[in-house]
Each structure stands twice: as structure tokens, then as C-alpha cells.
Amino acid sequence: MSLEKTLDLIRQIAESTVRDEAPVVDKEAMWPEQSMRRLQREGLGGFVVPKESGGLGHGLFGLAQACELIGEESASAGLCFGMHSVGTAMIAAKATEYQKKNFLEPIAAGEHLTTLALSEPGTGSHFYFPQTQLLSVSESEFILKGEKTFVTNGSKADSYVISTMGVDPEAMQHEFSCVVVEGDREGLRWGAKWNGIGMRGNSSRSLALQEVRVPAQNLLGDQGDQLWYVFQVVAPYFLTAMSGTYLGVAQAAFNEAREHLMKRSYRHSGMSLSHNQLLQHRLGTLWAKIERTRQLIYSATRQYDNGDPMAVLSIISSKAEVANCAVEVVNEALTLSGGIAYRENSRLELLLRDARAAHVMAPTTDILYTWLGRALLEQPILDS
């Protein structure tokens, strides 16, 4: 299926199933089951799965647009789909024949949902320094011990891409590894249901790994490949999924403000707010802010898909810029929409709560700008 047709299908799903489910997802902090399952049924679970494994084989440019379309209707659904796609890309990057058959092909068939499990309680935003242990039992089996936090799609996915320390207890940072863990394995213990002020449908839960036995063939790439995955796969795919989702949030807020200005008229004069020059100016600046952010994201993802080695810098800046954009646009949309927008459970209230998470979702905005500055000054991106 071409990218154009794929995005048309996603738009149809977003404007029906995702839109219809969004209010209850937020109100009840409910994982967007109907949205995610329909995306799978329609063959979109394999959005980034290579075509040779039965998938659609789309890249970052397509992923940004897909998450934008879904995120415009539900930020939680956009991120849940995005994290599934990131986990899929992690598996696909150096997939063995076993991993293609047992993970990628079921994902492409809509029978398997995956996600990332990188963050940990002791490392905060420095998710690339995992403390989870990967212990060798034999040549064919590992044991996992540790704890993960903020696992999107937590307890809902069929597998989890988990970052760990190296097998050797003396392993250095560059020797960290990644492994796929099936969701039905013994020893996975889920924490309490996520109940945040925003992004309430993420099912963003903590996960305790209590001596979980995993076959060695679930190891992604070679032992010690984790930092390669962080910058070659996690960074571009993860940041793109979030960038697209929050771009959708900004667009949704703009749409709310524009609709209000188009429909609202003063009773005493009959004049529509759309005729007010100041409001015209302010709405125009919002459009420009969104559009320049969109073009940065689209350009960065095209660069990556074309193999440009500098693309990661543009992708890093994209997530930082879209976080600023989403928060500023929602705030301004609230002002433009007047007092009625401040009613409880208004659409803009939901968008404001969702948008604010953009700055704190790792890597945080401050960390991303620091990484960008270090790279431009030819310094190591990661601190010691």
C-alpha cells in the first residue's frame, strides 16, 4: 500500500474510531483499545515492518504524518501507536530469522503489539543508562532482573523491547544490550494503573522484572549494541513518534480556536470575531508557528529516510521545537477562545493537559537542546 493510501486510511480511522473513543479515554484514563485494535485489523500495525516480512515498509516521514493524524484526535492513541512502531523498528533493525518469524510477521499480520521499556526509576530522563540486569544462565537463556517505569502500552502489549546492562557484570556503558520479552512470561509484575493529569490513555505503567527467563534468541543484535540502538533507532523513531503526535495536538488546538472565531459573533453589533484585525493577526501567527514546526519535522524525517547522517540533529531539534509549539499554541488558543474555553472538560482543557507532557517526556526539551549544542560543538552527546 502506498504511503498516500496508507495515510488516507489512517485519517479515516482517526476521524471515526479514534475521535469517538477519545473522550472516554481521557475521562476514564482508559487505554485506547478500540483505536489500537482497529489500526491492527486494518493492517497498520506493520506500518514500519519491512515489506519482506509482510509489512508496509514505511519510514520516518510516514510515521510522523501517521502520528500527527492520530494525535490530532487523541494524543494518547497517537503515542500508543507511535511506541508500538518504535518497538517494531527496534526489532526490525537487526532482526534474525527467528525474530522475523516470531515477532515481525505477527506484527505485520495485526496479531502482535509491541512497545518500548527503557526508562527506569533511578535514572530519570537518562533512559540510555539502564540498570536492569541481563544475566546469562546458559548459552540459550538469560534472566532479567530490574525495574522499568513509564512503559507506554504497559500490560497491553504482547512484547516489550527492554534495555539492559551487559551480560558481564563488569560491562561498560557501551556494552548495554536490548532484548525482546514476551508479555506472558513469568516474573513480569505490573505497577498501578497510570492516572496522570494528561496523556491519560497511555497505560504508562511501571514494570518489575523478577528473574524473568528469556531465550538468548530474543537478544537484539549483539551484546553491547544498546547505544547503537539508542542513536540509530530509538532516537529517530521515538522522537519522530512524539513529534508527530504533539504536532497533531497543536493542530487540534488551532482548529478549535479557528472554529470559535468563525462562529462567534457579538450580539450587540452582529460582527463576527473573524472580522477582528487583531484576532486575525494572532491566528495567523499560530498557523505560521505550527507550519514551520511541521516543515522542520517533515524535512528531518525525509533526511533520515534518504540516509543523511546529519538527520538525527534535525530530529532532535524537532521534538524540542514541537514541545514548545504545542504548549504555546494551546495556551494561545485558550485565550483566543475566551471564557467558554475554560469550562471543565472542554476540548482545549484536554489538549492543554496533554500538551504539557511534551516537555517532560524523555528526552526532555532541555536535554535535547543540550545534546544539539554538544553535537554542534563537536563534543560527546552523552555525559559520562
Side-chain angles (χ1 to χ4, degrees), residues 24-200:
V24 70
V25 164
D26 180 71
K27 182 178 180 180
E28 300 181 11
M30 183 184 76
W31 187 68
E33 176 108 27
Q34 295 180 37
S35 301
M36 293 299 292
R37 298 310 180 198
R38 185 174 175 198
L39 288 163
Q40 287 184 286
R41 286 197 307 272
E42 298 285 357
L44 298 166
F47 192 89
V48 300
V49 172
K51 292 181 179 179
E52 57 266 29
S53 293
L56 296 172
H58 296 308
L60 285 195
F61 180 54
L63 181 61
Q65 294 177 82
C67 290
E68 179 184 352
L69 289 170
I70 300 169
E72 188 173 335
E73 303 299 337
S74 170
S76 285
L79 197 62
C80 287
F81 177 78
M83 291 307 101
H84 162 74
S85 299
V86 181
T88 299
M90 290 280 284
I91 297 170
K94 294 185 178 183
T96 63
E97 291 304 313
Y98 171 84
Q99 291 163 1
K100 291 176 183 177
K101 180 179 179 180
N102 288 274
F103 298 109
L104 294 182
E105 291 177 11
I107 287 172
E111 300 167 354
H112 189 104
L113 188 74
T114 192
T115 196
L116 288 183
L118 304 187
S119 298
E120 297 187 0
T123 55
S125 298
H126 303 276
F127 63 89
Y128 39 87
F129 290 147
Q131 302 302 298
T132 295
Q133 293 179 295
L134 181 68
L135 307 174
S136 179
V137 176
S138 65
E139 290 185 359
S140 61
E141 191 175 42
F142 295 125
I143 284 180
L144 277 168
K145 297 169 64 177
E147 186 175 359
K148 296 294 180 177
T149 56
F150 299 113
V151 181
T152 299
N153 297 321
S155 81
K156 305 297 183 181
D158 298 295
S159 67
Y160 300 87
V161 176
I162 293 176
S163 57
T164 76
M165 296 177 68
V167 174
D168 182 350
E170 303 299 322
M172 301 297 287
Q173 291 170 355
H174 67 280
E175 295 174 320
F176 291 2
S177 299
C178 296
V179 64
V180 188
V181 178
E182 295 88 346
D184 58 359
R185 288 197 173 273
E186 292 291 329
L188 273 67
R189 300 288 182 268
W190 290 102
K193 181 180 177 181
W194 170 248
N195 192 23
I197 64 169
M199 304 300 292
R200 287 169 54 77

Side-chain angles (χ1 to χ4, degrees), residues 296-308:
L296 171 62
I297 295 169
Y298 285 6
S299 174
T301 52
R302 284 195 191 99
Q303 281 181 273
Y304 182 87
D305 289 344
N306 291 332
D308 187 336

